[in-house]
Amino acid sequence: MTTIDGKTKVYAVIGNPVAHSFSPLIQNLAFAHHQLNAVYVALPVTAIGDAITGMRALDLQGLSVTIPHKEQVMAHLDACDQDAERIGAVNTIVRRDNRLIGYNTDGRGALRALEAKTQIKDAAVTIMGAGGGARAVGYALRAAGARLTIVNRSIERGRRLAGELKAMFIPLKQLNGLDCQILINTTPVGMTPNADNIIVSPAWLHDNMVVMDLVYNPLQTRLLTAAAAAGCQTVDGLGMLVYQGAIQFELWTGKRAPLDQMMQTAYQILQSRQQAGG
Ligand code: NAP
């Protein structure tokens, strides 16, 4: 890491909790790669309005915003880009000419992770879930020309998102098989400590499907394990996390993120944490 001195620019991830965040590791690696005099730290935050006032007062250069503040933070910013407005959530704040601008890089991160495996335009995509992750992924995939179906437990929330995305909607309880080329789980089903859970029947997975899980703890969720066994291509949630972080770095610095190194580091760290049971 660059030596910290009086001119070091400060960036951070804010949320609650943030202690296990991958962002400090991959963002500091990117700063070091470009020999930028900058540092990225994790700041646990409960009062989001106070944190943004603090960002202005302390001249913080950029923030990543995570759960539970992605929606509420918007009211405290000077402007948001079109993607963030549409999604209704901000995960990145950029300081530009002393104004704080909100962005959402989650959808584009998911898109890049999927595009590395398959073509999106005209693909039939089923998104399980209708929360923040689903909104970000849904808007990005729709813009890339996918044909979307939303499947959700709560009918009202699922219908609302499907309406916004001009997608089909199927209530989770009425789902009876999968007819799609790409299946994306955006629910927390399968996340540690409930890693045995799976959102769809493994028998519905077939070998010409690409299956993505936003959950990355564990990295190989039960859904991805079943998908691989059925011959599907799989896309794990850590790739999306790193891609969206690379887009954040590029928004903050205008420099190209060292994606391969960021990916490699994130996977090494996650694997060592999971082996250690953390
Ligand atoms: P969220 O806004 O709370 O939405 C959760 C969604 O999952 C809702 O649609 C909810 O359905 C559904 N759901 C929750 N529990 C369920 C269950 N037991 N059975 C069926 N459906 C269930 O959460 P989010 O922010 O979208 O995050 C969802 C997951 O994605 C989390 O695990 C998060 O860590 C992950 N994520 C990963 C990345 C990444 O970069 N890899 C980025 C964003 C999010 P109802 O509407 O019926 O409640």
Side-chain angles (χ1 to χ4, degrees):
M1 197 190 291
T2 318
T3 306
I4 293 173
D5 63 17
K7 293 182 184 158
T8 303
K9 292 185 170 159
V10 180
Y11 296 77
V13 53
I14 59 169
N16 195 10
V18 286
H20 277 74
S21 172
F22 283 85
S23 299
L25 299 158
I26 60 173
Q27 298 295 354
N28 284 315
L29 186 153
F31 288 138
H33 175 86
H34 285 286
Q35 298 181 320
L36 297 175
N37 189 354
V39 67
Y40 183 109
V41 294
L43 302 174
V45 160
T46 46
I48 186 63
D50 292 351
I52 300 306
T53 303
M55 177 184 188
R56 294 180 196 275
L58 296 168
D59 201 29
L60 303 187
Q61 296 300 301
L63 291 179
S64 307
V65 183
T66 188
I67 289 169
H69 302 309
K70 287 185 184 184
E71 288 90 14
Q72 287 78 6
V73 73
M74 295 178 80
H76 303 281
L77 303 178
D78 298 310
C80 291
D81 94 324
Q82 214 182 25
D83 278 356
E85 289 285 4
R86 272 197 287 248
I87 295 164
V90 156
N91 77 339
T92 309
I93 304 173
V94 179
R95 177 185 287 274
R96 196 164 285 142
D97 301 328
N98 275 333
R99 296 177 77 230
L100 301 185
I101 318 291
Y103 293 83
N104 192 310
T105 64
D106 277 337
R108 278 188 287 155
L111 189 61
R112 281 206 203 167
L114 269 171
E115 279 172 341
K117 294 272 169 95
T118 189
Q119 189 184 311
I120 308 298
K121 187 160 170 32
D122 296 326
V125 180
T126 296
I127 297 178
M128 319 286 309
R135 297 184 69 81
V137 170
Y139 274 102
L141 293 189
R142 196 191 67 159
R147 293 179 290 121
L148 302 177
T149 300
I150 304 292
V151 176
N152 198 48
R153 183 179 60 180
S154 129
I155 292 177
E156 197 194 323
R157 199 179 187 188
R159 274 220 178 103
R160 197 177 332 126
L161 180 60
E164 285 178 37
L165 295 172
K166 299 186 174 38
M168 282 207 359
F169 171 67
I170 303 175
L172 182 58
K173 271 193 178 161
Q174 290 169 26
L175 190 65
N176 182 21
L178 290 166
D179 181 18
C180 61
Q181 292 152 288
I182 302 175
L183 171 70
I184 307 174
N185 175 42
T186 74
T187 78
V189 174
M191 190 162 80
T192 303
N194 300 308
D196 284 341
N197 293 352
I198 183 164
I199 186 92
V200 292
S201 164
W204 295 346
L205 302 168
H206 47 85
D207 63 5
N208 50 358
M209 279 166 78
V210 176
V211 179
M212 176 175 188
D213 204 332
L214 264 59
V215 172
Y216 55 86
N217 186 18
L219 190 58
Q220 292 308 316
T221 58
R222 178 138 183 253
L223 173 64
L224 293 187
T225 307
C232 309
Q233 288 205 70
T234 62
V235 182
D236 65 58
L238 192 59
M240 166 177 168
L241 192 77
V242 177
Y243 278 115
Q244 70 75 30
I247 300 167
Q248 291 185 320
F249 177 82
E250 289 167 3
L251 282 169
W252 289 325
T253 66
K255 296 187 186 301
R256 200 181 186 84
L259 187 69
D260 290 348
Q261 284 166 258
M262 292 165 89
M263 256 330 150
Q264 211 180 356
T265 302
Y267 278 88
Q268 275 169 358
I269 289 160
L270 185 68
Q271 271 152 7
S272 60
R273 275 188 197 169
Q274 290 185 346
Q275 275 159 15

